Amino acid sequence: MVGYGFELALQGLRRFPRTSALAVLTVAIGLAASMTTLALLHALSADPLPGLSQHLYLAWIDTVRAKPITYTTLDGTGVVDYKRLRMADAEALLAARRAFRQTAVADMFARVEGGDAGHGNDETILAATSDFIPMFGVALRDGRSWTAAEDTARAPVAVIDSELARSLFGADRAVGKVLRIKGHAVRVIGVSAPYAPQPHFFALDQWSFSGSERERVFMPYSAALDVGAEARRSDGCDADTAKDKTLFSVDVTRCSWLGYWVELDTPQAVADYRTYLNNYLQQQKDLASFGRSQQAQLLDVPQWLTLQNVIPDNVRLNVWLAGSFLLLCMVNVTGLLAAKFMRRSAEVGIRRALGAPRRAVMLQHMLEAGAVCVLGGVLAWPLTLLGLALLRMQDQGFTDLARLDVNMFGALFVLATLVGVLVGFLPAWRVSMVQPGLQVKSA
Amino acid sequence: MSLRVMLASLRRHSLMPALVLLQIAFACAILCNVFFLAWQRLEPMLAPSGVDADNLIVVDNLAAMGRSFTAAETDAGERALRAVPGVRAASAGFALPMVNNASILLNLRGSTQVTVGVSAFFGRGLVQSLGLKMLGGRDFVASEYRPWGIGASNGDDAWNTGAAQPIIITQALADKLFGRANPMGQMLVDPEDKEGHGYQVIGVVKHMLRNQLGLAIDGRADYTVLLARSIGNTAMLNYAVRVDPSMRAAAMQGVKKAIDRQFAALMSGGVQPRVEFYADKRDEALKSSRATLWLLLGLVLAIATVTLVGIMGLTGFWVQRRTRQIGIRRALGARRMDILRYFLLENVLIVGAGIVLGMLLAYAGNIMLMHYYELPHLPLAYLPMGAAVMLAMGQLGVWGPARRAAAVPPVVATRSV
């Protein structure tokens, strides 16, 4: 019965080709609009480090010795803060080693030159401690990462990515070569694959999504400070900081400029670490007088991304708009199909009179509606690619991440079929209600 | 033909009209919100800048690394810019127009007791350098300026002068803060700043577009003030340079050279100063808004097309179903005109009902969007606008089928179709 119904459905599609084409096109436009916006949202809300991020937590205690600065905005809300620590606190936490792995992280800036002076670039340096590379899954292609001992010894060593290696030394094999940062020699001990998780969750103060920006140098933050790399931003500085050391190039001993990430594998470890942080905060007796929040925070990656609102509002807004547009398209196609189906009432009446059950009539028309929507889905595919290409042309930093992956492609077809069922139900039901006798009489 | 007959006929065959109604309702709801979103983007584009846009060069991205610029360096830069051939006026400033990486926001309250969030521009002689048009009052005089800088100290008493500070506001602000009263000499206070001594209005300029374009919506584009602040020691600054219209290109070159000469040695870390004409900066700043507008326009066209096709398809079918009835009515004496009018009117009825439902949906949609995003309330004025568009589309969609219906000859009544 299904086979016959399907045959009839296909014949029905060919009967009024113009109406069918219009219906298919309408479905395609609606699906393409939805898929384009969903694909962007999907790309932006993807896990930045699959397999690793679920064990990563950002630890924060507010220990800046100053009254909190309030910022006035039109909506009265405060300014973003990136939950960073002062260096002394980061060092105390690092020394305690209470987590499975831990690292302080900050983006720093300096001009980095290769072997011959003059040939170099202004680089964003990822300054961290030895655990960063295993914790955050930086893939080493050659050489090694630095050790905890080298952190303590402030050893001038660095891991660079293969792109920088080629740019500075003309070859991937740069281990053992020497970089010059502000005149200081820094030895390359490892070469990594280009590393750019999206969003750039460990240093959101610099950028959140970018197809082009990334850190190409990884080194111990102690050594980065020694060679004169600059920390440009902070969440706040102690009250006794010189004013010209609060902006752009901050006072690294008084301002909070280091993000602190820990790796915790069990819920128990998370709870323990939270207690530890709170205890640490209790010991900072002199803090009470500054009216700062007395709360330690331990945020997992999704919480952190939500808090920082990394997905631009208009991306979600567009999903809503496209979704409601799809709804409009569905109502429209329902109408078109209803008109199309009702035109053949006479024919359906004859089929019914000859003994076709309601179910068969219903099935035939549901199949026809489904075929319209699946065809629409097929047509929506190139349209979605076109939509994504248009999005990428917008060049808003995050838009170049808009791609249609296999999952989204599957979702498109599930969506198309679902739309088919929803759209087909009402007209198919209506036409299956046609009375057999009446139609035969009037025909 | 009475309305009652029409309604009775609509009730008898309710599926088709119901589908048209639903389509109109959805389209109306989406359109109202899309128009509203588009207007949010369009408003900053249409807002008058108030400055001499074509002849104004804005220098930004001047940032000192590791140390701040001294007042002497800031002044030297200003003097060097004034000496460039073709330059009419130059000011060191902060958070100037179209500078997107720095802004100053203040809350001000005047005699109307409304608190308004405003952008402030800092710098000496900005009325001249920006080319602002003063409507009344006076510009600041040299003795009124107090030095100010960001990320650097200019003395402890630099901000709080112990007395009310002079302030120049825009006409739009004067209306908002003082209503019809004459703003000149009036006091403004910052409700948040308990220790401040407030501000006294000494001048009013016609327009001054605020520098955060995202906030230049809901008629707030002109909520900008000038404060009597000169730039002293600072980690960051801008310059506003007004040039002779006949020497734009040469002056641009000169300004670039002067900035390079004065600041190249003071800056580090790969930060490059940006020297651009205001008009070009505005173009750049509005790029993403323009892209969004194109997107919304595309959406509007898609909605219009889909709705038109839908109405035409449905009414076309519906007219065809009633060919025999039409024939009978024609045979009983109805004129072509009557038939045409009947279908047009019927469409108005259906679309009207759809619009009522659509407006409710539009409002609900707006409330939902407001809940999730920073969006203002949908002004009621958008609803009749959406309604008018939908009515026009409905009539346009029904025109073809109605004409075909009117062309049905009376003789059809005698045939059995």
Side-chain angles (χ1 to χ4, degrees), chain A residues 65-371:
Chain A
R65 267 85 176 157
K67 292 237 182 313
I69 302 169
T70 52
Y71 293 84
T72 311
T73 69
L74 280 197
D75 307 302
T77 50
V79 86
V80 270
D81 77 271
Y82 291 100
K83 309 267 177 233
R84 286 173 289 193
L85 299 182
R86 291 155 81 252
M87 191 160 65
D89 300 301
E91 274 165 0
L93 296 184
L94 279 170
R97 300 199 71 78
R98 286 304 185 91
F100 177 58
R101 284 180 183 136
Q102 48 258 304
T103 181
V105 186
D107 271 354
M108 298 181 81
F109 300 87
R111 190 166 176 80
V112 175
E113 293 171 340
D116 31 320
H119 180 61
N121 313 300
D122 294 307
E123 293 291 335
T124 309
I125 297 170
L126 196 138
T129 57
S130 56
D131 280 347
F132 182 85
I133 287 187
M135 243 173 110
F136 284 76
V138 181
L140 286 180
R141 285 194 179 158
D142 196 8
R144 61 178 180 91
S145 169
W146 69 91
T147 61
E150 281 169 314
D151 270 325
T152 336
R154 311 178 79 89
V157 293
V159 171
I160 62 175
D161 85 357
S162 52
E163 193 190 67
L164 184 66
R166 262 195 300 277
S167 143
L168 291 179
F169 304 109
D172 279 8
R173 306 198 63 84
V175 174
K177 296 260 167 56
V178 173
L179 300 172
R180 302 204 74 80
I181 302 180
K182 292 202 159 177
H184 301 272
V186 174
R187 196 159 47 86
V188 177
I189 55 167
V191 175
S192 74
Y195 180 70
Q198 304 288 343
H200 182 238
F201 68 105
F202 46 83
L204 284 172
D205 59 315
Q206 293 303 323
W207 65 84
S208 47
F209 294 98
S210 174
S212 55
E213 287 179 280
R214 63 171 180 268
E215 297 90 354
R216 302 200 292 179
V217 181
F218 305 82
M219 63 187 291
Y221 78 85
S222 50
L225 286 174
D226 288 348
V227 299
E230 286 164 346
R232 283 199 186 151
R233 304 198 188 153
S234 82
D235 286 347
C237 300
D238 292 350
D240 61 354
T241 315
K243 239 189 156 184
D244 58 359
K245 288 284 185 193
T246 57
L247 205 67
F248 300 133
S249 178
V250 300
D251 184 333
V252 290
T253 57
R254 292 189 174 85
C255 300
S256 56
W257 60 282
L258 283 162
Y260 194 83
W261 289 86
V262 291
E263 183 176 331
L264 302 165
D265 293 331
T266 61
Q268 186 55 45
V270 175
D272 289 348
Y273 203 83
R274 196 167 272 135
T275 317
Y276 164 66
L277 278 182
N278 272 316
N279 289 340
Y280 181 87
L281 193 64
Q282 295 309 311
Q283 290 160 17
Q284 312 292 308
K285 299 234 178 339
D286 59 328
L287 269 175
S289 56
F290 293 104
R292 292 243 159 201
S293 79
Q294 294 285 304
Q295 192 75 46
Q297 292 190 0
L298 192 61
L299 301 165
D300 62 22
V301 174
Q303 282 170 338
W304 170 235
L305 295 179
T306 312
L307 184 74
Q308 291 296 333
N309 202 15
V310 289
I311 299 175
D313 270 357
N314 63 355
V315 172
R316 282 215 185 80
L317 195 68
N318 288 347
V319 172
W320 281 107
L321 279 179
S324 40
F325 177 62
L326 177 62
L327 206 61
L328 174 70
C329 289
M330 283 167 65
V331 175
N332 189 338
V333 172
T334 308
L336 285 177
L337 289 180
K340 194 168 142 77
F341 292 173
M342 293 309 284
R343 277 203 172 120
R344 19 179 138 107
S345 305
E347 188 187 309
V348 171
I350 293 168
R351 273 194 70 204
R352 295 272 287 118
L354 291 179
R358 272 206 181 121
R359 219 151 25 93
V361 174
M362 177 106 183
L363 180 75
Q364 174 205 336
H365 290 95
M366 287 291 284
L367 281 174
E368 189 170 335

Side-chain angles (χ1 to χ4, degrees), chain B residues 174-196:
Chain B
D175 295 342
K176 183 81 181 174
L177 292 168
F178 304 114
R180 278 158 196 221
N182 178 11
M184 233 54 78
Q186 296 251 35
M187 293 300 297
L188 288 169
V189 293
D190 182 345
E192 314 262 307
D193 183 9
K194 302 281 183 275
E195 291 144 28

Side-chain angles (χ1 to χ4, degrees), chain B residues 36-191:
Chain B
F36 181 49
L37 289 172
W39 176 243
Q40 305 269 306
R41 298 296 183 143
L42 209 55
E43 213 180 336
M45 288 188 187
L46 300 178
S49 69
V51 304
D52 187 3
D54 292 331
N55 307 310
L56 176 63
I57 296 174
V58 178
V59 183
D60 85 2
N61 234 23
L62 288 173
M65 296 293 161
R67 57 180 285 279
S68 46
F69 300 124
T70 62
E73 285 162 350
T74 309
D75 286 344
E78 202 176 273
R79 277 197 305 278
L81 288 171
R82 282 209 197 95
V84 172
V87 168
R88 286 183 168 173
S91 299
F94 188 77
L96 290 182
M98 290 302 153
V99 170
N100 59 12
N101 54 9
S103 61
I104 297 170
L105 279 163
L106 296 174
N107 285 319
L108 293 178
R109 191 160 68 195
S111 60
T112 51
Q113 298 304 316
V114 187
T115 302
V116 182
V118 304
S119 300
F121 296 158
F122 287 1
R124 195 198 307 268
L126 284 179
V127 172
Q128 281 305 313
S129 311
L130 296 176
L132 300 170
K133 189 173 179 332
M134 288 210 81
L135 295 179
R138 61 170 178 88
D139 193 1
F140 304 119
V141 294
S143 61
E144 284 170 331
Y145 288 102
R146 295 275 177 283
W148 179 90
I150 189 162
S153 177
N154 285 289
D156 289 339
D157 54 348
W159 181 257
N160 239 331
T161 52
Q165 300 180 39
I167 190 171
I168 295 176
I169 63 175
T170 57
Q171 184 63 54
L173 262 182
D175 295 342
K176 183 81 181 174
L177 292 168
F178 304 114
R180 278 158 196 221
N182 178 11
M184 233 54 78
Q186 296 251 35
M187 293 300 297
L188 288 169
V189 293
D190 182 345

Side-chain angles (χ1 to χ4, degrees), chain A residues 321, chain B residues 25-40 217-218 355-371 373-387:
Chain A
L321 279 179
Chain B
F26 277 124
C28 181
I30 304 174
L31 269 189
C32 283
N33 279 297
V34 168
F35 281 151
F36 181 49
L37 289 172
W39 176 243
Q40 305 269 306
I217 51 168
D218 292 334
I355 286 169
V356 172
L357 183 61
M359 283 177 171
L360 292 176
L361 280 177
Y363 221 69
N366 171 248
I367 286 171
M368 191 200 70
L369 290 181
M370 269 175 57
H371 185 73
Y373 312 102
E374 278 182 35
L375 263 185
H377 245 301
L378 181 72
L380 290 175
Y382 283 85
L383 300 180
M385 205 159 84

Side-chain angles (χ1 to χ4, degrees), chain B residues 163-334:
Chain B
Q165 300 180 39
I167 190 171
I168 295 176
I169 63 175
T170 57
Q171 184 63 54
L173 262 182
D175 295 342
K176 183 81 181 174
L177 292 168
F178 304 114
R180 278 158 196 221
N182 178 11
M184 233 54 78
Q186 296 251 35
M187 293 300 297
L188 288 169
V189 293
D190 182 345
E192 314 262 307
D193 183 9
K194 302 281 183 275
E195 291 144 28
H197 294 83
Y199 306 88
Q200 186 171 31
V201 179
I202 62 155
V204 174
V205 293
K206 191 167 180 199
H207 290 297
M208 196 154 52
L209 177 59
R210 69 193 316 163
N211 75 344
Q212 314 96 310
L213 290 179
L215 302 179
I217 51 168
D218 292 334
R220 302 186 298 198
D222 251 355
Y223 287 3
T224 317
V225 301
L226 292 178
L227 287 184
R229 293 283 159 182
S230 58
I231 306 303
N233 304 325
T234 185
M236 194 178 169
L237 83 158
N238 318 133
Y239 284 102
V241 185
R242 194 141 73 98
V243 302
D244 195 319
S246 60
M247 296 180 68
R248 288 176 81 238
M252 184 57 154
Q253 288 309 315
V255 167
K256 276 186 176 157
K257 276 201 200 103
I259 290 293
D260 200 44
R261 205 168 53 235
Q262 295 292 323
F263 288 97
L266 304 178
M267 293 172 60
S268 71
V271 180
Q272 293 295 327
R274 273 203 303 264
V275 183
E276 288 157 307
F277 275 108
Y278 177 91
D280 298 335
K281 279 182 99 68
R282 180 172 58 190
D283 224 40
E284 179 68 28
L286 293 174
K287 214 175 109 188
S288 87
S289 285
R290 262 200 305 273
T292 309
L293 271 179
W294 281 112
L295 198 102
L296 293 178
L297 181 71
L299 187 58
V300 168
L301 286 180
I303 292 170
T305 317
V306 161
T307 314
L308 260 182
V309 166
I311 297 174
M312 276 159 88
L314 283 176
T315 16
F317 165 71
W318 210 25
V319 165
Q320 196 197 5
R321 295 253 340 218
R322 289 185 291 181
T323 306
R324 194 140 175 251
Q325 292 170 34
I326 298 165
I328 294 170
R329 285 186 48 205
R330 291 277 281 125
L332 291 176

